[in-house]
Amino acid sequence: MTAAKRRFLPITLRRQIPSLVSNFLKFLFVIICFIIAFGLFSQFKLQSASIATEFGFNDFLMDNYRMKIAFLFLVRDNIPLDFLWHNFFKNADPENFTIYIHSKPGFVFDESVTRSVYFHNRQLENSIEVGWGTPTMIEAEKLLFKAALDDISNQIFVLVSDSCVPLYDFGYIYTYLMSSPRSFVDSFIDDATETRYNPEMSPDIPEDKWRKGSQWITLVRRHAEVVAYDHVIFPVFNKHCKRRPLLDLSKGNESLIEQQQHNCIPDEHYVPTLLAMRGFEEELERRTLTYSLWNQSTETMNTQTWHPVTFGYATASQKNIQDIKDIDHIYFKSENRTEWCGTKSNNGHCYLFARKFSRGAAMRLLTNGVVGPYDPNTLFLDRT
């Protein structure tokens, strides 16, 4: 009986081996298929993320995603047009925007300086003293971008001044910006008569990458990161890009000699030049979204022409505002280039904001309902 069992067991095992091998091969096949499928899924997810980040939406796939516009206020101290912006934000979903303010050091936005709760405690704690036409303007901008980048939901970054006004309600501006994967950066080649490029910038900043444009930019997240964390090009600007001192006849020949130096206004050159050097020009709408009306003067030394015209109550009429809204293209003479603004999403409107506006002009926009429904009884009520 024992011998028969010994003869029987090997035969049984021999019959089970093919079945065991078959099951093992099936199991191995399933594992291989799972690994291949997982690899393909990971590659697809990576490619999808790559597409989403191509123009700056690098968090497009995150869970519970809510894209916000970060409004970056670069101001001297307070925001004199807070009543207009309050109404603008009051008619918006609070989940669709954030606010950051760079003001002079120590200036706190509380009930004593603004009745609009949207600006309360929105100031940067690490602000710096800023001088017009100096690299400190760029430093302040970089601080704003860095602060806003801390919120992963911020995907569009709009730089505005204390005299800027929106030309539409929040809903229209939100749709306009979110429908475009590009940044809006005024960027063009200097006119041949300009002498702002300093050859001492070379080779760090080659002359063929030198660009000029409006300071008031709108960036997608990818480009905002480039501006915020650049530590290569900014030091060159800080050293070699400085505005020409004002003519001072009391200094005699010394002042006349100073007038021969390069008149470089850092904030008009830094961002467009930086993005051109990084190879991002194809990802830009090379125009600003903020309208300015500049004085036209042939007097080279007339420094008053360096600033845009200020709109007052009379010039902020519905007709004048509509004329700005109706602008559908921008011509750049130095490049013989025309930027057309017409798309299905924006109805051909070039500008979303304008400057410089007085309080009276801003009040006229408010009462005309430019930024949304206006009820004077609820102008500064809590958003809650």
Side-chain angles (χ1 to χ4, degrees):
M1 187 70 171
T2 303
K5 285 184 179 180
R6 282 199 298 267
R7 289 195 301 270
F8 177 74
L9 289 174
I11 294 174
T12 304
L13 288 174
R14 284 197 299 270
R15 290 176 178 174
Q16 291 177 343
I17 286 174
S19 177
L20 292 172
V21 171
S22 176
N23 290 336
F24 175 75
L25 291 176
K26 289 179 182 179
F27 176 76
L28 184 62
F29 178 75
V30 171
I31 294 297
I32 293 173
C33 289
F34 176 80
I35 292 173
I36 292 174
F38 181 78
L40 290 174
F41 175 77
S42 298
Q43 185 177 3
F44 172 76
K45 187 174 182 180
L46 182 61
Q47 290 175 344
S48 299
S50 177
I51 292 172
T53 61
E54 182 178 0
F55 293 113
F57 298 121
N58 53 344
D59 302 298
F60 188 77
L61 299 176
M62 83 180 181
D63 294 335
N64 301 320
Y65 189 74
R66 190 68 175 267
M67 295 171 65
K68 295 181 180 180
I69 299 175
F71 288 87
L72 314 180
F73 286 83
L74 182 57
V75 304
R76 295 176 180 85
D77 38 58
N78 64 356
I79 300 178
L81 309 184
D82 59 346
F83 57 90
L84 178 67
W85 284 101
H86 180 93
N87 203 70
F88 175 77
F89 291 123
K90 181 172 69 70
N91 292 300
D93 184 340
E95 296 297 317
N96 286 341
F97 68 89
T98 51
I99 296 172
Y100 303 84
I101 307 171
H102 184 286
S103 185
K104 62 184 181 182
F107 194 93
V108 178
F109 280 79
D110 56 21
E111 295 83 353
S112 67
V113 298
T114 177
R115 290 189 295 160
S116 175
V117 294
Y118 295 105
F119 297 116
H120 288 173
N121 300 313
R122 299 309 304 166
Q123 72 279 349
L124 303 188
E125 295 182 356
N126 59 342
S127 63
I128 61 172
E129 289 286 351
V130 174
W132 179 83
T134 70
T136 56
M137 190 77 77
I138 299 175
E139 291 185 80
E141 293 177 16
K142 290 166 74 71
L143 289 172
L144 281 167
F145 282 112
K146 284 181 181 178
L149 284 166
D150 286 341
D151 185 341
I152 201 68
S153 296
N154 291 331
Q155 292 295 310
I156 304 293
F157 303 77
V158 180
L159 186 65
V160 293
S161 74
D162 50 10
S163 67
C164 277
V165 298
L167 296 175
Y168 299 91
D169 62 31
F170 184 91
Y172 181 87
I173 290 177
Y174 185 87
T175 301
Y176 187 113
L177 295 178
M178 290 302 174
S179 64
S180 173
R182 298 176 180 270
S183 292
F184 294 85
V185 179
D186 201 28
S187 175
F188 54 91
I189 298 172
D190 253 349
D191 188 275
T193 61
E194 292 274 9
T195 58
R196 292 192 175 189
Y197 177 77
N198 188 341
E200 294 185 21
M201 293 180 174
S202 181
D204 299 291
I205 302 176
E207 189 171 5
D208 66 330
K209 296 297 183 182
W210 183 250
R211 299 290 185 268
K212 182 181 178 181
S214 169
Q215 174 185 10
W216 311 109
I217 56 178
T218 297
L219 302 182
V220 296
R221 189 174 181 91
R222 179 184 181 184
H223 300 150
E225 290 171 343
V226 172
V227 173
Y229 301 115
D230 163 55
H231 302 293
V232 177
I233 302 305
F234 175 69
V236 181
F237 266 80
N238 196 35
K239 183 177 181 180
H240 297 296
C241 182
K242 298 179 181 179
R243 69 183 179 94
R244 181 189 300 135
L246 299 179
L247 180 63
D248 184 356
L249 296 179
S250 66
K251 297 171 63 177
N253 289 336
E254 181 184 348
S255 183
L256 292 175
I257 293 174
E258 289 177 340
Q259 297 308 305
Q260 303 305 312
Q261 73 182 49
H262 299 277
N263 186 35
C264 186
I265 312 299
D267 52 82
E268 294 183 358
H269 295 276
Y270 174 66
V271 172
T273 298
L274 173 64
L275 295 179
M277 290 189 62
R278 294 290 184 261
F280 290 132
E281 282 194 309
E282 295 301 317
E283 300 180 9
L284 307 177
E285 291 282 350
R286 292 174 61 191
R287 58 186 176 88
T288 180
L289 292 174
T290 301
Y291 176 83
S292 297
L293 178 61
W294 294 86
N295 279 323
Q296 300 297 320
S297 174
T298 57
E299 299 179 34
T300 306
M301 297 301 178
N302 184 0
T303 58
Q304 296 303 313
T305 65
W306 294 354
H307 298 281
V309 173
T310 297
F311 286 85
Y313 183 88
T315 50
S317 64
Q318 286 183 307
K319 181 184 183 304
N320 287 346
I321 299 303
Q322 191 59 50
D323 286 345
I324 297 174
K325 290 183 175 184
D326 289 342
I327 296 173
D328 62 359
H329 70 280
I330 304 169
Y331 177 66
F332 296 91
K333 183 179 180 180
S334 63
E335 297 180 354
N336 191 27
R337 170 171 61 92
T338 299
E339 287 286 332
W340 291 93
C341 310
T343 67
K344 292 181 179 179
S345 61
N346 63 31
N347 299 317
H349 299 147
C350 289
Y351 296 109
L352 298 181
F353 310 94
R355 63 187 299 267
K356 303 173 69 172
F357 277 64
S358 67
R359 288 178 61 87
M363 181 57 71
R364 189 167 187 179
L365 296 187
L366 184 65
T367 55
N368 286 341
V370 171
V371 298
Y374 167 59
D375 180 357
N377 296 318
T378 62
L379 181 55
F380 285 106
L381 290 181
D382 245 334
R383 53 184 158 174
T384 54

